[in-house]
Amino acid sequence: MATFSPPKPSIMNSRFSGNPSELSTNQLSLIKFPRAHSVFQSGILRNKWGNHMGFHRVRVGGGSRGLAVVRCTAEGIERSISFGKRSIGSAAAEERGISGGVGIGLPERFKVVALTAFVMCLCNADRVVMSVAIVPLAAKYGWSNSFLGIVQSSFLWGYIFSSVVGGALVDRYGGKRVMAWGVALWSLATLLTPLAANHSTTSLLAVRAFFGLAEGVAMPSMSTLLSRWFPSHERASAVGMSMAGFHLGNVVGLLLTPIMLSSIGVTGPFLLFSSLGLVWLMSWIPGVTNNPRQSQNISTSELRLIEAGKADSSPQNVKHLPLSRLLSKLPTWAIIFANMTNNWGYFVLLSWMPVYFKTVFNVNLKQAAWFSAIPWGTMAVSGYFAGTTSDALIKARYPVTLVRKIMQSIGFIGPGLALLCLKFATTPTIAAVLMTVALSLSSFSQAGYLLNMQDIAPQHAGFLHGISNSAGTLAAIVSTIGTGYFVQWLGSFQAFLTVTATIYFMAAIFWNLFATGEQIF
Protein backbone atom coordinates (compact mmCIF):
# COMPACT_ATOMS: atom_id res chain seq x y z
CA MET A 1 0.00 0.00 0.00
CA ALA A 2 1.53 3.34 -1.05
CA THR A 3 1.59 6.39 1.16
CA PHE A 4 -0.02 9.41 -0.42
CA SER A 5 1.61 12.77 0.22
CA PRO A 6 -0.30 15.83 -1.06
CA PRO A 7 1.20 17.06 -4.34
CA LYS A 8 2.26 20.61 -4.87
CA PRO A 9 -0.47 22.98 -6.02
CA SER A 10 1.34 23.64 -9.33
CA ILE A 11 1.17 19.98 -10.26
CA MET A 12 -2.42 19.60 -9.26
CA ASN A 13 -3.53 22.74 -11.09
CA SER A 14 -1.56 22.06 -14.24
CA ARG A 15 -2.52 18.43 -14.70
CA PHE A 16 -6.22 18.27 -14.02
CA SER A 17 -9.27 20.20 -12.99
CA GLY A 18 -12.71 19.27 -11.80
CA ASN A 19 -13.55 15.82 -10.54
CA PRO A 20 -10.68 13.81 -9.01
CA SER A 21 -11.86 10.78 -10.92
CA GLU A 22 -10.48 12.37 -14.08
CA LEU A 23 -6.93 11.45 -13.02
CA SER A 24 -5.30 9.18 -15.59
CA THR A 25 -2.55 6.67 -15.10
CA ASN A 26 0.03 9.05 -16.60
CA GLN A 27 -1.13 11.89 -14.41
CA LEU A 28 -0.94 9.73 -11.32
CA SER A 29 2.59 8.77 -12.23
CA LEU A 30 3.61 12.43 -11.85
CA ILE A 31 2.63 12.35 -8.19
CA LYS A 32 5.37 11.01 -5.97
CA PHE A 33 4.65 8.70 -3.07
CA PRO A 34 7.60 8.98 -0.71
CA ARG A 35 8.03 6.68 2.25
CA ALA A 36 8.98 9.61 4.40
CA HIS A 37 6.71 10.54 7.30
CA SER A 38 4.06 12.76 5.74
CA VAL A 39 1.16 14.84 6.86
CA PHE A 40 -1.21 12.09 5.77
CA GLN A 41 0.54 9.57 8.03
CA SER A 42 0.56 11.39 11.32
CA GLY A 43 -0.35 14.99 10.72
CA ILE A 44 -3.48 16.71 11.84
CA LEU A 45 -5.59 18.73 9.48
CA ARG A 46 -7.69 21.41 11.14
CA ASN A 47 -10.64 22.70 9.20
CA LYS A 48 -12.16 26.12 9.49
CA TRP A 49 -14.63 24.98 12.15
CA GLY A 50 -11.89 23.77 14.45
CA ASN A 51 -12.45 20.03 14.02
CA HIS A 52 -9.57 17.58 13.83
CA MET A 53 -9.17 14.72 11.48
CA GLY A 54 -6.24 12.31 11.55
CA PHE A 55 -5.35 11.04 8.11
CA HIS A 56 -3.54 7.71 8.30
CA ARG A 57 -3.46 6.00 4.92
CA VAL A 58 -4.51 6.54 1.35
CA ARG A 59 -4.42 3.79 -1.22
CA VAL A 60 -4.34 4.79 -4.87
CA GLY A 61 -5.10 2.24 -7.57
CA GLY A 62 -4.11 2.15 -11.21
CA GLY A 63 -5.93 3.52 -14.18
CA SER A 64 -9.14 5.37 -13.52
CA ARG A 65 -9.78 3.39 -10.35
CA GLY A 66 -8.39 4.48 -7.04
CA LEU A 67 -9.42 5.32 -3.54
CA ALA A 68 -8.57 7.36 -0.52
CA VAL A 69 -9.64 6.39 2.97
CA VAL A 70 -9.97 9.19 5.49
CA ARG A 71 -10.25 8.15 9.09
CA CYS A 72 -11.53 10.50 11.80
CA THR A 73 -9.90 8.97 14.85
CA ALA A 74 -11.50 11.43 17.24
CA GLU A 75 -14.93 9.97 16.65
CA GLY A 76 -14.14 6.40 15.65
CA ILE A 77 -15.67 6.91 12.19
CA GLU A 78 -14.20 5.95 8.85
CA ARG A 79 -15.11 7.40 5.47
CA SER A 80 -14.02 6.12 2.07
CA ILE A 81 -13.44 8.49 -0.84
CA SER A 82 -13.72 6.80 -4.22
CA PHE A 83 -11.71 7.81 -7.28
CA GLY A 84 -13.52 6.48 -10.31
CA LYS A 85 -16.14 3.76 -10.57
CA ARG A 86 -14.84 1.42 -7.90
CA SER A 87 -16.99 0.93 -4.79
CA ILE A 88 -14.87 1.12 -1.70
CA GLY A 89 -15.43 -0.49 1.69
CA SER A 90 -14.27 0.74 5.06
CA ALA A 91 -10.63 1.27 5.92
CA ALA A 92 -10.81 -1.60 8.37
CA ALA A 93 -11.92 -3.90 5.58
CA GLU A 94 -9.06 -2.75 3.35
CA GLU A 95 -6.47 -3.20 6.08
CA ARG A 96 -7.79 -6.61 7.09
CA GLY A 97 -8.20 -7.84 3.51
CA ILE A 98 -11.97 -7.81 3.64
CA SER A 99 -13.62 -6.76 0.41
CA GLY A 100 -16.66 -4.60 -0.07
CA GLY A 101 -18.84 -3.06 2.63
CA VAL A 102 -20.04 0.44 3.29
CA GLY A 103 -17.89 3.36 4.28
CA ILE A 104 -19.75 4.24 7.45
CA GLY A 105 -21.33 1.63 9.73
CA LEU A 106 -22.64 1.25 13.25
CA PRO A 107 -19.70 0.89 15.66
CA GLU A 108 -19.28 -2.67 16.90
CA ARG A 109 -19.37 -1.63 20.55
CA PHE A 110 -22.94 -0.35 20.04
CA LYS A 111 -23.97 -3.72 18.66
CA VAL A 112 -22.42 -5.41 21.70
CA VAL A 113 -24.26 -3.20 24.18
CA ALA A 114 -27.56 -3.63 22.27
CA LEU A 115 -27.34 -7.43 22.50
CA THR A 116 -26.29 -7.17 26.14
CA ALA A 117 -29.24 -4.89 26.96
CA PHE A 118 -31.63 -7.35 25.29
CA VAL A 119 -30.36 -10.34 27.24
CA MET A 120 -30.43 -8.39 30.51
CA CYS A 121 -34.06 -7.56 29.74
CA LEU A 122 -34.73 -11.25 29.20
CA CYS A 123 -32.82 -12.11 32.37
CA ASN A 124 -35.11 -10.03 34.55
CA ALA A 125 -38.28 -10.91 32.64
CA ASP A 126 -37.62 -14.58 33.36
CA ARG A 127 -37.32 -13.76 37.07
CA VAL A 128 -40.46 -11.66 37.20
CA VAL A 129 -42.69 -14.28 35.59
CA MET A 130 -42.72 -16.17 38.87
CA SER A 131 -43.55 -13.05 40.89
CA VAL A 132 -46.84 -12.80 38.98
CA ALA A 133 -47.52 -16.49 38.31
CA ILE A 134 -47.11 -17.25 42.02
CA VAL A 135 -50.49 -15.65 42.75
CA PRO A 136 -52.59 -18.21 40.80
CA LEU A 137 -50.20 -20.98 41.80
CA ALA A 138 -50.66 -20.10 45.49
CA ALA A 139 -54.44 -20.13 45.06
CA LYS A 140 -54.26 -23.48 43.28
CA TYR A 141 -51.99 -25.22 45.79
CA GLY A 142 -53.00 -23.35 48.98
CA TRP A 143 -49.59 -21.81 49.80
CA SER A 144 -49.30 -19.48 52.82
CA ASN A 145 -47.59 -16.06 52.77
CA SER A 146 -44.55 -17.47 54.57
CA PHE A 147 -44.24 -20.27 52.00
CA LEU A 148 -44.57 -17.69 49.20
CA GLY A 149 -41.42 -16.09 50.56
CA ILE A 150 -39.63 -19.46 50.43
CA VAL A 151 -40.69 -20.03 46.82
CA GLN A 152 -39.64 -16.51 45.83
CA SER A 153 -36.26 -16.89 47.53
CA SER A 154 -35.52 -20.33 46.02
CA PHE A 155 -34.19 -18.54 42.95
CA LEU A 156 -31.55 -16.97 45.19
CA TRP A 157 -30.36 -20.29 46.61
CA GLY A 158 -28.65 -21.15 43.35
CA TYR A 159 -27.79 -17.55 42.56
CA ILE A 160 -25.65 -17.19 45.68
CA PHE A 161 -23.41 -20.10 44.70
CA SER A 162 -22.92 -19.24 41.04
CA SER A 163 -21.92 -15.61 41.58
CA VAL A 164 -18.39 -16.28 42.84
CA VAL A 165 -17.71 -19.17 40.47
CA GLY A 166 -19.29 -17.28 37.59
CA GLY A 167 -17.20 -14.20 38.30
CA ALA A 168 -13.99 -16.25 38.33
CA LEU A 169 -15.00 -17.96 35.08
CA VAL A 170 -15.65 -14.59 33.45
CA ASP A 171 -12.18 -13.35 34.43
CA ARG A 172 -10.66 -16.47 32.89
CA TYR A 173 -12.82 -17.22 29.83
CA GLY A 174 -14.46 -13.87 29.13
CA GLY A 175 -18.03 -12.64 29.27
CA LYS A 176 -19.22 -13.99 25.91
CA ARG A 177 -18.90 -17.71 26.59
CA VAL A 178 -20.06 -17.59 30.20
CA MET A 179 -23.10 -15.47 29.33
CA ALA A 180 -24.05 -17.85 26.50
CA TRP A 181 -23.98 -20.89 28.79
CA GLY A 182 -25.94 -19.01 31.42
CA VAL A 183 -28.71 -18.05 29.00
CA ALA A 184 -28.98 -21.58 27.61
CA LEU A 185 -29.34 -23.08 31.10
CA TRP A 186 -31.72 -20.53 32.56
CA SER A 187 -33.94 -20.74 29.48
CA LEU A 188 -34.17 -24.49 30.06
CA ALA A 189 -35.04 -23.92 33.73
CA THR A 190 -37.71 -21.38 32.77
CA LEU A 191 -39.32 -23.91 30.45
CA LEU A 192 -39.35 -26.57 33.19
CA THR A 193 -40.79 -24.35 35.96
CA PRO A 194 -44.56 -24.92 35.39
CA LEU A 195 -43.97 -28.65 34.90
CA ALA A 196 -42.07 -28.80 38.18
CA ALA A 197 -44.80 -26.88 40.03
CA ASN A 198 -47.37 -29.37 38.76
CA HIS A 199 -45.23 -32.27 39.91
CA SER A 200 -44.36 -31.21 43.49
CA THR A 201 -43.20 -28.27 45.58
CA THR A 202 -39.81 -29.96 45.99
CA SER A 203 -39.36 -30.13 42.24
CA LEU A 204 -40.39 -26.49 41.92
CA LEU A 205 -37.86 -25.35 44.51
CA ALA A 206 -35.12 -27.41 42.84
CA VAL A 207 -35.83 -25.98 39.37
CA ARG A 208 -35.98 -22.42 40.71
CA ALA A 209 -32.64 -22.94 42.48
CA PHE A 210 -31.15 -24.24 39.22
CA PHE A 211 -32.59 -21.20 37.45
CA GLY A 212 -30.82 -18.92 39.93
CA LEU A 213 -27.62 -20.90 39.50
CA ALA A 214 -27.65 -20.15 35.78
CA GLU A 215 -28.60 -16.48 36.14
CA GLY A 216 -25.84 -15.79 38.65
CA VAL A 217 -23.31 -15.33 35.85
CA ALA A 218 -25.25 -12.61 34.03
CA MET A 219 -24.14 -9.54 35.99
CA PRO A 220 -20.39 -10.38 36.13
CA SER A 221 -20.47 -11.25 32.42
CA MET A 222 -22.16 -7.97 31.54
CA SER A 223 -19.85 -5.85 33.67
CA THR A 224 -16.63 -7.43 32.42
CA LEU A 225 -17.69 -7.54 28.77
CA LEU A 226 -18.63 -3.86 28.68
CA SER A 227 -15.43 -2.84 30.45
CA ARG A 228 -13.48 -4.51 27.63
CA TRP A 229 -15.56 -2.99 24.84
CA PHE A 230 -15.95 0.61 26.04
CA PRO A 231 -13.44 3.33 26.94
CA SER A 232 -13.60 4.61 30.52
CA HIS A 233 -15.49 7.76 29.64
CA GLU A 234 -18.30 5.74 27.99
CA ARG A 235 -18.52 2.86 30.46
CA ALA A 236 -21.21 4.34 32.73
CA SER A 237 -23.46 5.04 29.73
CA ALA A 238 -22.94 1.49 28.41
CA VAL A 239 -23.77 -0.03 31.79
CA GLY A 240 -26.73 2.35 32.08
CA MET A 241 -28.07 1.17 28.73
CA SER A 242 -27.65 -2.50 29.64
CA MET A 243 -29.25 -2.00 33.04
CA ALA A 244 -32.07 -0.08 31.37
CA GLY A 245 -32.75 -3.29 29.49
CA PHE A 246 -32.54 -5.16 32.79
CA HIS A 247 -35.18 -2.95 34.41
CA LEU A 248 -37.39 -3.00 31.33
CA GLY A 249 -37.42 -6.77 31.78
CA ASN A 250 -39.54 -6.15 34.87
CA VAL A 251 -42.00 -4.15 32.81
CA VAL A 252 -42.15 -6.78 30.08
CA GLY A 253 -42.59 -9.61 32.57
CA LEU A 254 -45.14 -7.83 34.75
CA LEU A 255 -47.31 -6.76 31.82
CA LEU A 256 -47.14 -9.78 29.53
CA THR A 257 -47.41 -12.48 32.18
CA PRO A 258 -50.96 -11.66 33.41
CA ILE A 259 -52.19 -11.47 29.82
CA MET A 260 -50.70 -14.84 28.93
CA LEU A 261 -51.88 -16.40 32.18
CA SER A 262 -55.47 -15.44 31.42
CA SER A 263 -55.34 -16.42 27.75
CA ILE A 264 -53.01 -19.43 27.58
CA GLY A 265 -52.51 -20.57 31.15
CA VAL A 266 -49.56 -20.94 33.50
CA THR A 267 -47.28 -22.49 30.87
CA GLY A 268 -47.70 -19.57 28.42
CA PRO A 269 -45.26 -16.96 29.76
CA PHE A 270 -42.63 -19.55 30.69
CA LEU A 271 -42.70 -20.98 27.17
CA LEU A 272 -42.45 -17.53 25.57
CA PHE A 273 -39.43 -16.29 27.52
CA SER A 274 -37.51 -19.54 27.29
CA SER A 275 -37.92 -19.46 23.49
CA LEU A 276 -36.63 -15.87 23.32
CA GLY A 277 -33.46 -16.98 25.10
CA LEU A 278 -32.70 -19.55 22.42
CA VAL A 279 -33.36 -17.02 19.65
CA TRP A 280 -30.98 -14.53 21.28
CA LEU A 281 -28.20 -17.13 21.37
CA MET A 282 -28.32 -17.36 17.57
CA SER A 283 -27.19 -13.72 17.34
CA TRP A 284 -24.86 -13.67 20.34
CA ILE A 285 -22.61 -16.62 19.52
CA PRO A 286 -21.49 -15.51 16.03
CA GLY A 287 -21.81 -11.77 16.61
CA VAL A 288 -19.87 -10.99 19.83
CA THR A 289 -16.29 -11.49 21.04
CA ASN A 290 -14.81 -11.23 24.52
CA ASN A 291 -12.86 -8.10 23.63
CA PRO A 292 -12.60 -5.80 20.60
CA ARG A 293 -9.18 -7.14 19.54
CA GLN A 294 -10.75 -10.50 18.73
CA SER A 295 -13.48 -9.02 16.54
CA GLN A 296 -13.21 -9.43 12.78
CA ASN A 297 -15.76 -6.66 12.16
CA ILE A 298 -14.41 -3.79 14.24
CA SER A 299 -12.66 -0.96 12.43
CA THR A 300 -9.11 -0.02 13.27
CA SER A 301 -10.15 3.47 14.26
CA GLU A 302 -12.81 2.18 16.68
CA LEU A 303 -10.30 -0.21 18.21
CA ARG A 304 -7.88 2.67 18.72
CA LEU A 305 -10.63 4.81 20.23
CA ILE A 306 -11.52 2.07 22.73
CA GLU A 307 -7.95 1.32 23.74
CA ALA A 308 -6.94 4.96 23.99
CA GLY A 309 -9.70 5.52 26.54
CA LYS A 310 -8.75 2.62 28.81
CA ALA A 311 -6.01 2.35 31.34
CA ASP A 312 -6.12 -1.46 31.05
CA SER A 313 -6.38 -1.81 27.28
CA SER A 314 -3.58 -4.30 26.81
CA PRO A 315 -4.28 -8.01 27.31
CA GLN A 316 -3.37 -9.24 30.74
CA ASN A 317 -2.44 -12.66 32.02
CA VAL A 318 -2.95 -11.93 35.68
CA LYS A 319 -2.68 -14.33 38.57
CA HIS A 320 -5.65 -15.16 40.73
CA LEU A 321 -6.24 -12.57 43.45
CA PRO A 322 -6.30 -14.20 46.92
CA LEU A 323 -9.59 -13.72 48.72
CA SER A 324 -7.78 -12.67 51.91
CA ARG A 325 -6.08 -9.81 50.07
CA LEU A 326 -9.32 -8.76 48.42
CA LEU A 327 -11.11 -8.60 51.76
CA SER A 328 -8.26 -6.77 53.50
CA LYS A 329 -9.21 -3.40 51.95
CA LEU A 330 -12.07 -1.21 53.16
CA PRO A 331 -13.09 -0.11 49.61
CA THR A 332 -13.86 -3.79 48.94
CA TRP A 333 -16.17 -3.85 51.94
CA ALA A 334 -17.79 -0.62 50.78
CA ILE A 335 -18.73 -2.39 47.53
CA ILE A 336 -19.90 -5.52 49.37
CA PHE A 337 -22.13 -3.59 51.79
CA ALA A 338 -23.48 -1.47 48.93
CA ASN A 339 -24.36 -4.60 46.96
CA MET A 340 -26.05 -6.13 50.00
CA THR A 341 -28.12 -3.01 50.63
CA ASN A 342 -29.08 -2.60 46.99
CA ASN A 343 -30.17 -6.25 46.70
CA TRP A 344 -32.03 -6.11 50.01
CA GLY A 345 -34.29 -3.30 48.83
CA TYR A 346 -34.43 -4.40 45.20
CA PHE A 347 -35.68 -7.92 45.86
CA VAL A 348 -38.20 -6.79 48.46
CA LEU A 349 -39.83 -4.57 45.85
CA LEU A 350 -39.34 -6.99 42.96
CA SER A 351 -40.79 -10.04 44.71
CA TRP A 352 -43.55 -8.48 46.76
CA MET A 353 -45.05 -5.55 44.85
CA PRO A 354 -47.87 -7.53 43.14
CA VAL A 355 -48.74 -9.08 46.50
CA TYR A 356 -48.42 -5.67 48.22
CA PHE A 357 -50.94 -3.98 45.94
CA LYS A 358 -53.34 -6.91 46.15
CA THR A 359 -53.10 -7.15 49.96
CA VAL A 360 -53.01 -3.47 50.94
CA PHE A 361 -55.23 -1.92 48.26
CA ASN A 362 -57.22 -4.97 47.12
CA VAL A 363 -56.50 -4.52 43.42
CA ASN A 364 -56.76 -7.45 41.02
CA LEU A 365 -53.81 -9.20 39.42
CA LYS A 366 -53.77 -7.18 36.19
CA GLN A 367 -54.01 -3.86 38.05
CA ALA A 368 -51.29 -4.97 40.45
CA ALA A 369 -49.05 -5.76 37.50
CA TRP A 370 -49.58 -2.28 36.04
CA PHE A 371 -48.88 -0.54 39.35
CA SER A 372 -45.78 -2.71 39.83
CA ALA A 373 -44.52 -2.19 36.27
CA ILE A 374 -44.57 1.61 36.20
CA PRO A 375 -41.70 2.08 38.71
CA TRP A 376 -39.45 -0.32 36.78
CA GLY A 377 -40.02 1.55 33.53
CA THR A 378 -38.93 4.85 35.02
CA MET A 379 -36.01 3.09 36.67
CA ALA A 380 -34.70 2.15 33.22
CA VAL A 381 -34.74 5.81 32.14
CA SER A 382 -33.22 7.17 35.36
CA GLY A 383 -30.48 4.52 35.32
CA TYR A 384 -29.38 5.57 31.85
CA PHE A 385 -29.53 9.23 32.92
CA ALA A 386 -27.30 8.40 35.89
CA GLY A 387 -24.80 6.74 33.56
CA THR A 388 -24.61 9.63 31.10
CA THR A 389 -24.36 12.14 33.94
CA SER A 390 -21.54 10.15 35.51
CA ASP A 391 -19.64 10.03 32.20
CA ALA A 392 -20.15 13.76 31.70
CA LEU A 393 -18.73 14.54 35.14
CA ILE A 394 -15.69 12.33 34.51
CA LYS A 395 -15.13 13.96 31.11
CA ALA A 396 -15.27 17.32 32.91
CA ARG A 397 -12.36 16.01 35.03
CA TYR A 398 -14.22 15.60 38.30
CA PRO A 399 -12.45 12.96 40.45
CA VAL A 400 -13.80 9.45 39.88
CA THR A 401 -14.06 8.94 43.66
CA LEU A 402 -16.28 12.00 44.03
CA VAL A 403 -18.51 10.95 41.12
CA ARG A 404 -18.97 7.43 42.51
CA LYS A 405 -19.84 8.80 45.96
CA ILE A 406 -22.38 11.28 44.61
CA MET A 407 -24.13 8.66 42.52
CA GLN A 408 -24.23 6.06 45.28
CA SER A 409 -25.48 8.59 47.85
CA ILE A 410 -28.43 9.40 45.59
CA GLY A 411 -28.97 5.67 45.07
CA PHE A 412 -29.32 5.04 48.83
CA ILE A 413 -30.67 8.18 50.50
CA GLY A 414 -33.38 8.77 47.89
CA PRO A 415 -35.01 5.32 48.15
CA GLY A 416 -34.75 5.38 51.95
CA LEU A 417 -36.75 8.60 52.17
CA ALA A 418 -39.33 7.37 49.66
CA LEU A 419 -39.94 4.12 51.56
CA LEU A 420 -40.43 6.03 54.81
CA CYS A 421 -43.10 8.13 53.11
CA LEU A 422 -44.87 5.03 51.81
CA LYS A 423 -46.75 4.54 55.08
CA PHE A 424 -48.68 7.73 54.33
CA ALA A 425 -49.97 6.38 50.99
CA THR A 426 -53.76 6.09 51.02
CA THR A 427 -54.35 5.04 47.42
CA PRO A 428 -52.56 2.66 45.04
CA THR A 429 -51.68 5.63 42.82
CA ILE A 430 -49.81 7.43 45.61
CA ALA A 431 -48.07 4.18 46.55
CA ALA A 432 -47.02 3.64 42.94
CA VAL A 433 -45.61 7.18 42.75
CA LEU A 434 -43.53 6.67 45.91
CA MET A 435 -42.24 3.31 44.70
CA THR A 436 -41.41 4.91 41.38
CA VAL A 437 -39.33 7.54 43.17
CA ALA A 438 -37.62 4.88 45.30
CA LEU A 439 -36.68 2.66 42.38
CA SER A 440 -35.76 5.53 40.05
CA LEU A 441 -33.29 6.94 42.55
CA SER A 442 -31.95 3.50 43.49
CA SER A 443 -30.84 3.06 39.86
CA PHE A 444 -28.11 5.66 40.49
CA SER A 445 -26.28 2.80 42.23
CA GLN A 446 -25.40 1.54 38.75
CA ALA A 447 -23.03 4.49 38.41
CA GLY A 448 -21.82 3.91 41.95
CA TYR A 449 -20.78 0.53 43.35
CA LEU A 450 -21.49 -1.39 40.13
CA LEU A 451 -18.88 0.59 38.18
CA ASN A 452 -16.58 0.92 41.16
CA MET A 453 -15.60 -2.75 40.84
CA GLN A 454 -13.80 -1.95 37.58
CA ASP A 455 -12.24 1.13 39.20
CA ILE A 456 -10.49 -0.61 42.05
CA ALA A 457 -9.79 -4.02 40.42
CA PRO A 458 -9.97 -3.82 36.61
CA GLN A 459 -8.36 -7.25 36.07
CA HIS A 460 -10.27 -8.99 38.88
CA ALA A 461 -13.66 -7.31 38.54
CA GLY A 462 -15.47 -10.56 37.75
CA PHE A 463 -14.18 -12.20 40.94
CA LEU A 464 -14.99 -9.12 43.02
CA HIS A 465 -18.42 -8.93 41.43
CA GLY A 466 -19.03 -12.55 42.33
CA ILE A 467 -18.00 -12.04 45.97
CA SER A 468 -20.16 -8.95 46.41
CA ASN A 469 -23.05 -10.56 44.53
CA SER A 470 -22.98 -13.57 46.83
CA ALA A 471 -23.18 -11.31 49.87
CA GLY A 472 -25.92 -9.32 48.17
CA THR A 473 -27.81 -12.51 47.36
CA LEU A 474 -27.66 -13.59 51.00
CA ALA A 475 -29.15 -10.23 51.96
CA ALA A 476 -31.84 -10.67 49.30
CA ILE A 477 -32.76 -14.12 50.66
CA VAL A 478 -33.15 -12.71 54.17
CA SER A 479 -35.20 -9.75 52.98
CA THR A 480 -37.44 -11.81 50.68
CA ILE A 481 -38.23 -14.43 53.32
CA GLY A 482 -38.32 -11.80 56.08
CA THR A 483 -40.96 -9.78 54.27
CA GLY A 484 -43.26 -12.82 54.13
CA TYR A 485 -42.90 -13.50 57.85
CA PHE A 486 -43.33 -9.81 58.77
CA VAL A 487 -46.55 -9.64 56.78
CA GLN A 488 -47.83 -12.87 58.31
CA TRP A 489 -46.91 -11.93 61.90
CA LEU A 490 -47.65 -8.21 61.93
CA GLY A 491 -50.12 -7.92 59.07
CA SER A 492 -48.24 -4.92 57.65
CA PHE A 493 -45.69 -4.26 54.95
CA GLN A 494 -44.66 -0.90 56.39
CA ALA A 495 -42.63 -2.25 59.31
CA PHE A 496 -40.28 -4.07 57.00
CA LEU A 497 -40.05 -1.11 54.61
CA THR A 498 -38.95 1.06 57.55
CA VAL A 499 -36.20 -1.43 58.36
CA THR A 500 -35.13 -1.31 54.73
CA ALA A 501 -34.97 2.50 54.77
CA THR A 502 -32.74 2.42 57.85
CA ILE A 503 -30.36 0.01 56.14
CA TYR A 504 -30.19 2.37 53.13
CA PHE A 505 -29.10 5.27 55.34
CA MET A 506 -26.42 3.25 57.18
CA ALA A 507 -24.96 1.95 53.90
CA ALA A 508 -24.76 5.51 52.51
CA ILE A 509 -22.64 6.59 55.48
CA PHE A 510 -20.28 3.62 55.16
CA TRP A 511 -19.90 4.17 51.41
CA ASN A 512 -18.94 7.82 51.75
CA LEU A 513 -16.37 7.00 54.43
CA PHE A 514 -14.51 4.19 52.68
CA ALA A 515 -15.22 4.04 48.93
CA THR A 516 -12.59 5.13 46.39
CA GLY A 517 -12.31 5.44 42.64
CA GLU A 518 -8.58 4.65 42.56
CA GLN A 519 -7.18 1.31 41.42
CA ILE A 520 -6.16 -0.88 44.38
CA PHE A 521 -5.70 -4.38 42.93
Side-chain angles (χ1 to χ4, degrees):
M1 179 178 292
T3 304
F4 179 42
S5 181
K8 296 180 180 180
S10 59
I11 297 176
M12 298 293 290
N13 294 335
S14 63
R15 297 296 178 184
F16 76 97
S17 60
N19 195 316
S21 62
E22 296 175 4
L23 281 167
S24 67
T25 306
N26 293 332
Q27 289 167 339
L28 284 171
S29 65
L30 295 176
I31 303 174
K32 297 185 180 297
F33 301 92
R35 292 184 175 271
H37 195 67
S38 68
V39 65
F40 276 79
Q41 287 177 298
S42 62
I44 298 296
L45 177 64
R46 182 188 297 269
N47 65 20
K48 64 181 180 181
W49 293 283
N51 295 328
H52 293 80
M53 291 190 296
F55 293 82
H56 296 281
R57 291 186 181 179
V58 173
R59 177 181 174 184
V60 179
S64 62
R65 295 183 179 182
L67 67 96
V69 178
V70 179
R71 182 177 303 117
C72 177
T73 56
E75 299 295 334
I77 298 173
E78 297 179 356
R79 297 178 182 268
S80 299
I81 303 174
S82 177
F83 292 165
K85 300 179 181 179
R86 183 181 170 195
S87 176
I88 306 304
S90 68
E94 292 292 331
E95 292 179 1
R96 295 170 184 269
I98 302 173
S99 61
V102 281
I104 304 176
L106 184 68
E108 283 298 307
R109 65 189 187 280
F110 293 170
K111 299 176 186 177
V112 172
V113 76
L115 283 171
T116 304
F118 182 87
V119 79
M120 295 306 293
C121 175
L122 184 62
C123 174
N124 226 16
D126 283 353
R127 296 185 193 182
V128 169
V129 170
M130 195 61 184
S131 297
V132 180
I134 199 171
V135 176
L137 287 173
K140 180 179 180 180
Y141 297 113
W143 296 338
S144 64
N145 279 334
S146 57
F147 187 72
L148 288 184
I150 294 174
V151 174
Q152 295 279 42
S153 68
S154 60
F155 155 80
L156 300 170
W157 303 350
Y159 193 85
I160 193 172
F161 292 108
S162 65
S163 294
V164 178
V165 176
L169 289 174
V170 167
D171 285 339
R172 181 169 182 178
Y173 297 108
K176 173 192 173 177
R177 188 183 305 178
V178 177
M179 180 75 89
W181 275 105
V183 174
L185 293 176
W186 88 54
S187 296
L188 175 62
T190 300
L191 181 64
L192 294 176
T193 297
L195 301 177
N198 189 54
H199 184 267
S200 66
T201 55
T202 302
S203 299
L204 174 63
L205 296 178
V207 169
R208 294 299 293 173
F210 177 73
F211 173 75
L213 189 70
E215 280 212 347
V217 304
M219 294 294 283
S221 296
M222 177 208 73
S223 180
T224 300
L225 193 70
L226 295 182
S227 73
R228 298 291 182 265
W229 269 94
F230 283 82
S232 299
H233 63 275
E234 293 181 356
R235 211 160 24 99
S237 298
V239 171
M241 186 178 297
S242 295
M243 292 303 293
F246 184 76
H247 301 312
L248 286 175
N250 288 316
V251 180
V252 172
L254 288 169
L255 296 184
L256 287 183
T257 301
I259 296 173
M260 301 194 72
L261 287 174
S262 60
S263 60
I264 301 177
V266 174
T267 60
F270 294 98
L271 179 61
L272 170 66
F273 292 117
S274 61
S275 300
L276 288 176
L278 299 178
V279 171
W280 173 88
L281 282 170
M282 297 172 64
S283 297
W284 179 262
I285 293 174
V288 173
T289 58
N290 283 322
N291 62 69
R293 287 193 173 190
Q294 297 174 343
S295 175
Q296 295 297 315
N297 300 318
I298 191 171
S299 66
T300 305
S301 59
E302 185 182 4
L303 181 60
R304 288 173 179 166
L305 176 68
I306 294 171
E307 295 192 340
K310 291 165 55 178
D312 58 326
S313 60
S314 59
Q316 301 288 335
N317 293 317
V318 294
K319 296 181 179 179
H320 177 69
L321 181 67
L323 180 60
S324 58
R325 183 163 174 249
L326 183 69
L327 298 179
S328 67
K329 305 295 183 181
L330 283 172
T332 300
W333 286 103
I335 291 175
I336 291 174
F337 288 153
N339 200 326
M340 293 177 68
T341 302
N342 184 74
N343 278 15
W344 179 288
Y346 184 88
F347 278 94
V348 165
L349 298 178
L350 174 66
S351 301
W352 285 98
M353 284 310 94
V355 180
Y356 170 84
F357 280 107
K358 187 175 187 303
T359 302
V360 176
F361 299 106
N362 196 31
V363 298
N364 61 41
L365 184 59
K366 289 186 178 180
Q367 289 175 319
W370 272 104
F371 281 119
S372 301
I374 292 172
W376 303 108
T378 58
M379 190 179 186
V381 176
S382 62
Y384 181 71
F385 172 77
T388 55
T389 302
S390 177
D391 282 341
L393 291 174
I394 292 175
K395 284 182 182 179
R397 300 191 179 279
Y398 283 88
V400 175
T401 299
L402 176 62
V403 174
R404 300 290 183 248
K405 288 185 176 181
I406 291 173
M407 295 296 156
Q408 193 60 64
S409 296
I410 296 173
F412 280 166
I413 297 174
L417 293 174
L419 291 181
L420 288 179
C421 294
L422 195 60
K423 66 180 178 181
F424 302 108
T426 56
T427 67
T429 301
I430 296 175
V433 169
L434 289 171
M435 288 182 183
T436 298
V437 172
L439 287 170
S440 295
L441 295 179
S442 72
S443 66
F444 278 70
S445 294
Q446 297 166 193
Y449 84 88
L450 191 59
L451 285 172
N452 193 232
M453 301 175 193
Q454 293 288 341
D455 294 331
I456 72 170
Q459 300 302 326
H460 307 280
F463 184 53
L464 175 56
H465 203 143
I467 295 294
S468 65
N469 249 15
S470 292
T473 303
L474 180 62
I477 292 173
V478 174
S479 68
T480 304
I481 296 177
T483 303
Y485 279 102
F486 261 72
V487 173
Q488 184 169 314
W489 292 341
L490 303 178
S492 170
F493 277 93
Q494 189 55 48
F496 202 77
L497 295 178
T498 302
V499 172
T500 301
T502 303
I503 294 173
Y504 271 129
F505 298 144
M506 294 173 62
I509 294 172
F510 191 89
W511 175 266
N512 281 282
L513 288 176
F514 301 114
T516 181
E518 303 297 324
Q519 182 173 343
I520 297 177
F521 305 104

